[in-house]
Amino acid sequence: EEENSDSMETELPPQTLLNTAVHSEMVCRNGCDVVKPDSSVYSTLKWEIKNKLQPTNSILGTKSRLHTTQRLIPNTKSSLDHHTDHVFCGQFSEDGSMYMSACQDYAIRIYDTRSQNWKLKNSIVARDVGWSIISTDYSPDKDWLIYSSWSDYVHLCNTSGEKEVHEPLDFQSEAHRFCLFSIQFSPNSTGILGGSSDRHLYLYDIVQKRRTHKVSGHANDINAVRYADKGSQIFFSGSDDALIKIWDARTLDSRSGKCEGVLTGHREGVTFIDSKGDGIHLISNGKDQTIKLWDIRKMKEPSAAQTRPTYQSSFDYRDTWRTRRQMVPKRTSDDCSLMTYTGHKVFQTLIRCRFSPLATTGQKYIYTGSFDGTVYIFDLITGKLVSTLTGHRLTVRDVDWHPYQPIIVSTSWDGTVKKWSYKEEPPKEENF
């Protein structure tokens, strides 16, 4: 019956769709912030999503569609996959046509997400893995992926094709034990940016097959790196020294290690950074149990890193429950962040947080994994906890929201990969 219902929606006559679009505009004028999605608007939206209609081509109108889709927060779970080992990474391609997971069993699995029932498209057996695959990334054109582990090498693989490409790229670390905790393709796909366990930032040229920069970036492990936007040479780094630094690849000096500016406010190490994509704003997850929103226009001089008071404790976030109970988020006197979000738990591993998609939510939310096996979704502006997705038994390390559909996928140390989709709640019965 459900399949028949979907096929009927696909065949909605154009006049019905136009009437729905007009009604949607009326709903928006009468207060989009308080009105729930109208059933006819939602029906049209489902039709658009199923037929892969891009937001810019929406018959609802871009603004009307956005006002509707930003309320479609995923709320219903299903199982995408289950493994016997921890699942570390999970990421959609930029166009949402593929989803990639990376597991401690040394396998990178790529799923085709273009149909309702996702299918395993490719499985890559990772090489030279120490403990686990730690970080992954797609190239902007989605033809390539990279992964890192406790190794001097980042591996470059093709995502499809008759002949498998699996090439080791030597980052030439002099450290006895080395890991790139965070890696990202450059915006033009020709380079790789990495943050490492030896406190250095690395830039690698894929075309020339050589490392171009090794910069002493922080006073402790660098857990997170991220470019500011798709066309920028500006990038961010976050470290266990509790600092976030802003860099310009065009003026990067391997000898001086001087950054463009510093963002202060975390009391403990930074586990992840996500950019809003506007070249100005970013969020960071911290071992101080907070997510912070930043504006790089409020950054401080690089010297602030040396003059900053000592806030960090000697606790190990991988340690005992007694230590975890003692961690209460507190604001520092030099905090230059715009907003702080609390409620989730950051222990055991480098838990990720991200902005919700621009196309369907207008980046209205931020969301994060958590040590307690829950996905937390916050309102970006108010800081209010909007929703929680519960279903994992152990830490949710990574979580990603589909760029064009109301779907979230979470990866957990319980070995499961869960797919969360939006399901319309039945109307409440009124008592007269």
Side-chain angles (χ1 to χ4, degrees):
E1 291 180 4
E2 190 171 334
E3 290 182 0
N4 292 335
S5 173
D6 286 342
S7 63
M8 288 177 64
E9 286 175 8
T10 306
E11 298 168 1
L12 281 172
Q15 187 59 46
T16 302
L17 296 175
L18 288 173
N19 290 341
T20 303
V22 172
H23 183 74
S24 171
E25 293 289 352
M26 292 175 64
V27 170
C28 280
R29 291 195 202 104
N30 288 314
C32 285
D33 292 333
V34 294
V35 178
K36 290 185 178 180
D38 178 82
S39 58
S40 58
V41 175
Y42 180 57
S43 177
T44 306
L45 184 61
K46 286 197 296 183
W47 181 88
E48 292 190 354
I49 290 174
K50 182 171 182 178
N51 289 277
K52 304 293 188 297
L53 199 66
Q54 294 296 319
T56 52
N57 297 324
S58 172
I59 55 181
L60 295 174
T62 304
K63 185 176 180 180
S64 299
R65 175 172 166 138
L66 180 59
H67 276 296
T68 303
T69 55
Q70 66 182 195
R71 287 163 180 74
L72 307 187
I73 299 175
N75 56 13
T76 304
K77 74 176 179 220
S78 60
S79 178
L80 177 61
D81 220 332
H82 187 278
H83 312 288
T84 57
D85 297 282
H86 298 344
V87 189
F88 273 66
C89 307
Q91 184 181 356
F92 283 105
S93 59
E94 190 172 306
D95 65 355
S97 65
M98 295 189 299
Y99 178 79
M100 165 177 59
S101 70
C103 184
Q104 205 170 21
D105 63 3
Y106 301 175
I108 297 174
R109 297 172 175 87
I110 302 174
Y111 302 86
D112 186 333
T113 65
R114 290 174 294 179
S115 63
Q116 185 174 357
N117 297 317
W118 297 2
K119 295 181 179 179
L120 184 63
K121 176 182 178 181
N122 193 10
S123 184
I124 299 170
V125 179
R127 303 172 185 173
D128 192 30
V129 176
W131 191 55
S132 179
I133 300 165
I134 302 298
S135 184
T136 59
D137 193 34
Y138 286 106
S139 61
D141 60 12
K142 75 178 182 180
D143 291 336
W144 302 91
L145 66 83
I146 49 176
Y147 67 87
S148 66
S149 180
W150 282 93
S151 166
D152 284 359
Y153 294 87
V154 167
H155 288 259
L156 175 72
C157 307
N158 56 337
T159 57
S160 61
E162 295 182 1
K163 185 177 181 181
E164 178 183 339
V165 177
H166 202 139
E167 184 177 359
L169 308 176
D170 190 358
F171 275 62
Q172 299 178 316
S173 167
E174 289 80 31
H176 173 68
R177 194 163 180 260
F178 178 77
C179 179
L180 286 162
F181 290 128
S182 181
I183 54 176
Q184 187 185 14
F185 273 100
S186 63
N188 62 4
S189 299
T190 62
I192 299 172
L193 169 66
S196 74
S197 59
D198 69 358
R199 308 178 181 187
H200 286 76
L201 292 163
Y202 287 79
L203 280 141
Y204 188 94
D205 189 309
I206 298 174
V207 178
Q208 299 181 26
K209 296 291 188 296
R210 68 182 183 90
R211 187 191 77 198
T212 58
H213 292 84
K214 178 184 177 182
V215 180
S216 180
H218 287 266
N220 212 323
D221 293 355
I222 302 176
N223 300 323
V225 292
R226 188 65 48 183
Y227 279 97
D229 57 50
K230 293 180 180 179
S232 179
Q233 293 297 313
I234 304 297
F235 65 89
F236 315 125
S237 63
S239 166
D240 273 340
D241 63 11
L243 296 173
I244 295 172
K245 293 186 177 182
I246 294 91
W247 308 82
D248 189 333
R250 295 164 296 190
T251 59
L252 205 59
D253 188 340
S254 297
R255 290 171 295 180
S256 69
K258 185 178 180 181
C259 63
E260 301 298 317
V262 178
L263 297 172
T264 60
H266 278 296
R267 301 182 73 95
E268 303 289 345
V270 176
T271 66
F272 194 73
I273 290 173
D274 191 34
S275 171
K276 197 170 187 288
D278 59 3
I280 297 173
H281 298 96
L282 62 146
I283 54 172
S284 58
N285 225 351
K287 297 178 183 180
D288 57 6
Q289 313 307 300
T290 69
I291 297 173
K292 288 186 177 291
L293 172 67
W294 310 88
D295 182 330
I296 65 171
R297 293 170 296 188
K298 297 186 68 175
M299 67 182 179
K300 300 181 178 181
E301 292 294 324
S303 58
Q306 281 72 46
T307 59
R308 191 184 189 216
T310 301
Y311 291 104
Q312 290 177 279
S313 63
S314 59
F315 100 110
D316 185 343
Y317 83 135
R318 298 166 296 181
D319 211 342
T320 64
W321 176 248
R322 180 182 64 83
T323 304
R324 294 195 285 270
R325 288 178 59 190
Q326 295 173 352
M327 286 302 300
V328 178
K330 296 178 182 179
R331 186 179 176 87
T332 65
S333 61
D334 63 349
D335 190 349
C336 63
S337 65
L338 300 179
M339 178 76 77
T340 300
Y341 312 82
T342 62
H344 64 303
K345 298 174 176 60
V346 184
F347 298 108
Q348 283 191 331
T349 185
L350 303 177
I351 293 172
R352 278 90 183 276
C353 65
R354 304 182 193 275
F355 288 96
S356 64
L358 177 63
T360 55
T361 72
Q363 296 179 308
K364 179 180 174 63
Y365 311 106
I366 61 170
Y367 58 103
T368 179
S370 179
F371 167 76
D372 59 9
T374 302
V375 177
Y376 288 78
I377 303 173
F378 299 92
D379 186 289
L380 176 68
I381 302 300
T382 67
K384 179 182 177 182
L385 180 63
V386 175
S387 180
T388 55
L389 306 178
T390 58
H392 289 287
R393 294 182 293 104
L394 297 176
T395 301
V396 176
R397 186 180 189 267
D398 204 355
V399 59
D400 203 11
W401 198 317
H402 191 284
Y404 299 111
Q405 297 186 35
I407 295 173
I408 287 176
V409 182
S410 52
T411 58
S412 171
W413 277 23
D414 64 9
T416 63
V417 182
K418 293 194 182 298
K419 178 182 175 183
W420 307 83
S421 55
Y422 176 78
K423 185 176 181 180
E424 191 174 15
E425 297 179 358
K428 295 181 180 180
E429 294 184 5
E430 295 185 7
N431 297 321
F432 294 95

